[in-house]
Amino acid sequence: MTSLTVKLLADAATPEDLFQGQWQGRPSKLDASKPYLDDRWNQGCTNAWRVWEEIVPLGYQGSYQRVRANFREKRLSPNPLTARPPSPRVVAGWILRRPETLNETEHLRLKAVLVHCPELDALTGHVRSFGQMLTERQGEWLPQWLDAVRQDDLPGLHTLAAGIDRDRDAVIAGLTLPRNSGVVEGHVNRIKMLKRQMFGRAGFHLFRKRVLLYS
């Protein structure tokens, strides 16, 4: 050892004082999980072991000691951590996307949101199961999906389920058969867009012009 290294070790009052020089700025295995740790800390979970058990199945490959050190730093910090929570639009985007398209940070932050909101957790399950029916043409599972939705206290989703139930056969066909009217609907939307660009949105004045034109 050099004399500078010996002096550094001798003068260090805490382990954090040793993290200098070549150790500063290095990426850590915990970096991707830090937003999740911040969210859980803000939610009142100060048990490092419990949070470590939560992030390991989500892809964290580091040691428990790193998580414990992060929580120790939070406890010793003079300023309370106030991480900005994700907006509803961002959370909705995480829920509507395929789970495999979320990166590790997004996956961890979504889990932090769902942990303390059972209703949103249930909604996420229903949305993703419906997305699977839609993309994999599994319309035969629609009755079971409707029954599962009705068992949860989600009034907004109950309204959607009631609307689907009124036209159940057509929805099952749309979720099962390879044929659809997507191309026709696309042309209709394009024509409507062109009409709005030429004449503006439909209103009484436009209706009056049409009546006078064909009268």
Side-chain angles (χ1 to χ4, degrees), residues 122-123 126 129 141-168:
L123 175 65
H126 294 315
S129 59
W141 293 104
L142 183 64
Q144 290 88 333
W145 183 85
L146 293 172
D147 292 338
V149 166
R150 294 190 183 97
Q151 293 175 6
D152 289 323
D153 186 17
L154 299 170
L157 211 55
H158 290 175
T159 303
L160 173 65
I164 291 176
D165 213 12
R166 286 194 294 268
D167 205 6
R168 178 182 293 202

Side-chain angles (χ1 to χ4, degrees), residues 91-112:
V91 175
W94 293 340
I95 293 174
L96 292 172
R97 286 164 54 190
R98 291 176 180 267
E100 61 270 18
T101 64
L102 300 177
N103 59 40
E104 184 177 355
T105 300
E106 292 170 337
H107 191 60
L108 290 171
R109 299 206 70 186
L110 176 60
K111 179 176 175 60

Side-chain angles (χ1 to χ4, degrees), residues 74-92:
K74 289 177 170 58
R75 291 189 184 93
L76 298 177
S77 175
N79 301 319
L81 185 65
T82 55
R84 185 177 181 180
S87 67
R89 182 184 294 272
V90 171
V91 175

Side-chain angles (χ1 to χ4, degrees), residues 164-183:
I164 291 176
D165 213 12
R166 286 194 294 268
D167 205 6
R168 178 182 293 202
D169 292 341
V171 176
I172 292 177
L175 293 173
T176 307
L177 302 177
R179 296 177 294 277
N180 62 76
S181 60
V183 176

